[in-house]
Amino acid sequence: MPNHLHIIENAPLFNGLPAEHLDELRRIAVEKEYHRGDTVFMEGDAGDGFYVVLAGKVKVSKVSAEGKEQILHIFGPGEPFGEVPVFTGKPFPANAQTLAKSVLAFFPKSRFIALIHANPSLALNMLAVLSTRLRQFTVQVENLSLKEVPERLATYLLFLSREQENPEQVILPISKGQLASLLGTIPETLSRIFAKMTSEGLIKVAGKTITLREPEELDTLSVHGKG
């Protein structure tokens, strides 16, 4: 996969590994291409390996018995997903679907486990990534259970601001419908909150571009809400 060597080399999971270990990883990786909306795996499928996004975007979600989707994570280039079953021996606990035309590197479980046995430093990198993922889940559970939707939206916009390194403006990486699912609400409610924040002068919305007019007030909202 010559066009994506730098993605694997710079992925957090493999960061800092010596060249010979990276070569071994590239040898066991299987490059797979997907169209937008393709299913990567479904909840309950055998966890026979994990993936790293080389290009595109992937959402991981759960669907309730009533058919309501809750997006858990959205992954972009360099980010791994589906790695937990590699160690637990259990099926995939959620669904994964592409949000755009994507290229993924698939690492078969048996070959990757053998590689870890030979290279313990790889296990330490994976432990660090899983620890970060656990912290992200903790924050998400706190947001969904303890915060109202306006607070969740303010928190997400500030997160994007830090991630995109722009304190004044962010670009939504997903549709507003997908954002509603990520925040645990419905599109109609999210639209009302966007409109309310706009009328209050906190933000300005132009498609997927959100101007943060009052970052400090958004920060206060994200932490304390309105009361």
Side-chain angles (χ1 to χ4, degrees):
M1 49 186 71
N3 295 333
H4 300 108
L5 294 182
H6 68 287
I7 299 293
I8 290 181
E9 291 170 1
N10 295 318
L13 196 60
F14 310 135
N15 188 37
L17 291 178
E20 59 269 24
H21 293 176
L22 291 171
D23 287 339
E24 292 179 52
L25 284 165
R26 286 191 284 267
R27 279 197 291 271
I28 70 171
V30 180
E31 185 173 313
K32 298 186 176 185
E33 296 185 1
Y34 296 82
H35 296 291
R36 178 180 180 182
D38 282 352
T39 297
V40 181
F41 55 74
M42 295 290 291
E43 180 177 355
D45 286 352
D48 56 354
F50 72 97
Y51 299 80
V52 171
V53 181
L54 300 179
K57 203 176 297 291
V58 174
K59 71 172 178 179
V60 172
S61 64
K62 298 272 286 186
V63 178
S64 70
E66 296 75 28
K68 180 181 178 182
E69 181 185 56
Q70 171 64 57
I71 296 178
L72 304 175
H73 284 294
I74 293 176
F75 298 106
E79 295 186 289
F81 66 96
E83 66 272 31
V84 173
V86 169
F87 295 99
T88 64
K90 296 181 179 180
F92 287 117
N95 309 306
Q97 183 182 44
T98 56
L99 295 176
K101 183 178 180 181
S102 302
V103 181
L104 310 178
F106 174 70
F107 293 87
K109 176 179 177 178
S110 58
R111 300 186 70 182
F112 186 74
I113 292 295
L115 197 56
I116 281 183
H117 282 301
N119 305 290
S121 57
L122 185 56
L124 292 177
N125 279 30
M126 179 160 271
L127 180 61
V129 169
L130 292 177
S131 297
T132 299
R133 192 72 49 79
L134 180 59
R135 286 197 298 272
Q136 292 172 342
F137 267 123
T138 301
V139 170
Q140 186 174 22
V141 169
E142 177 185 314
N143 287 340
L144 293 176
S145 60
L146 302 179
K147 293 185 176 182
E148 298 297 328
V149 179
E151 298 169 59
R152 298 176 208 165
L153 177 57
T155 300
Y156 182 72
L157 292 176
L158 292 171
F159 163 76
L160 283 184
S161 175
R162 292 189 295 271
E163 185 180 62
Q164 297 177 10
E165 299 181 350
N166 189 337
E168 298 179 352
Q169 192 176 81
V170 300
I171 298 175
L172 296 179
I174 53 179
S175 70
K176 290 187 175 73
Q178 291 159 351
L179 176 57
S181 175
L182 184 64
L183 298 180
T185 187
I186 59 176
E188 293 78 9
T189 299
L190 182 62
S191 293
R192 287 196 296 271
I193 294 170
F194 267 123
K196 189 171 187 294
M197 285 186 173
T198 299
S199 68
E200 292 174 346
L202 298 178
I203 62 174
K204 177 182 177 183
V205 182
K208 287 191 174 185
T209 301
I210 314 295
T211 300
L212 310 183
R213 287 180 160 174
E214 297 290 346
E216 291 184 4
E217 290 191 30
L218 285 172
D219 184 55
T220 299
L221 174 60
S222 72
V223 176
H224 302 293
K226 295 226 174 182

